[in-house]
Amino acid sequence: ALSASDIDGIIAIGYFTDKQIQSLRAISGNITFLDSSPNELLYDSVVLNFELGIKQALDYLRSVGHTRIGYIGPKQLSDETQRMVLEPRRRYYEHYMREAGLFEQNLIFETPMRNQIAVEHELQLRLSAIDSDKRPSAIEETAIGAIHALRSLHLRIPEDISIVSFNDTVMSSVVEPALTSISPHLDYMAATAVQLVHQRASTPAHQPERHFPQKIVIPPALVVRNSTMPYPKPIEYEKTGS
C-alpha cells in the first residue's frame, strides 16, 4: 500500500466521492483533480470549458447552413458532490439552441455515457421512425456508435447527416469518415496537472512554490474533418486534420 512517504502528490482523474477523496488525502494532501473540481478552496484542478466547446460546435454547424441540429448523450450524471445534475454539455446545448430559436425536443437522443451499443440502438430506433424531412441534418456530441447506426439505416455521412464528436480521440481521425471534433487538448490538460502538483510538492529538495489552490480552465478547439459538410449547398470553410 502507498504511504505519504512514497509520493509527493496525486493526480486524480475523473469524479470521486468524499470517502475516496479522504482516502487520497491519507496518502497526500497535494492532490490535483483532472476533469473535475470537487473543492476549489482545497485542491488544484484542471477542467475543460464545456460551454465554449458546445458553442464552437454549434456555431460552426450553423455557419455552414445547419439548423436542425440534434444531440446524443446522457441527460444526467453525478457531479463532484455526487448529486444528479443535468449533463453540462446537454445543458449548454439546450440553452444555446433555445437562445437561437432552434430548440426541438425530438432532436435530443438520450443515451448512457460512453455506451456505444446504446447510442447505436437509440439512433436506429428514433431515426427510422422520423420522416426524412424531419431528421436532423447534423448531430453534435456523439460516439462511434452513431456511425454504425446511420450506416445501418443507409444514411450517408456527411451527405445525409453531419456528425461532430466532442472528444477528439485517436479514433476520431482514423474512422471513416474522419470525425469533426471538439478537441479537449488532453495532452496539455495532463501536462498542466503535473505542473500544478509539482508547484505544491514539498520534498527535501523542493519547497512549495505556492500554498493556495488553483483551478485551470482549458479552452477546447474545433478540428474540422470529413464527417461534416455544408447544408444545403457547399460554401468555403477551411478543413484541418485528416
Side-chain angles (χ1 to χ4, degrees), residues 18 24 31 71-72 114 120 135 144 149 176 181 193 205 213 216 235 237:
D18 289 341
L24 293 175
I31 306 172
Y71 173 90
I72 302 174
R114 300 183 182 91
E120 189 170 346
R135 288 174 181 158
I144 304 302
E176 180 58 38
S181 300
I216 307 296
I235 62 175
Y237 196 92

Side-chain angles (χ1 to χ4, degrees), residues 152-197:
S152 72
L153 296 171
H154 306 291
L155 294 172
R156 300 167 300 166
I157 306 165
E159 292 84 356
D160 296 318
I161 295 182
S162 290
I163 292 179
V164 178
S165 174
F166 199 90
N167 290 320
D168 188 34
T169 65
V170 173
M171 288 297 294
S172 297
S173 61
V174 300
V175 297
E176 180 58 38
L179 290 171
T180 294
S181 300
I182 298 298
S183 172
H185 303 300
L186 293 177
D187 290 347
Y188 182 71
M189 290 181 71
T192 302
V194 171
Q195 183 181 40
L196 292 178
V197 167

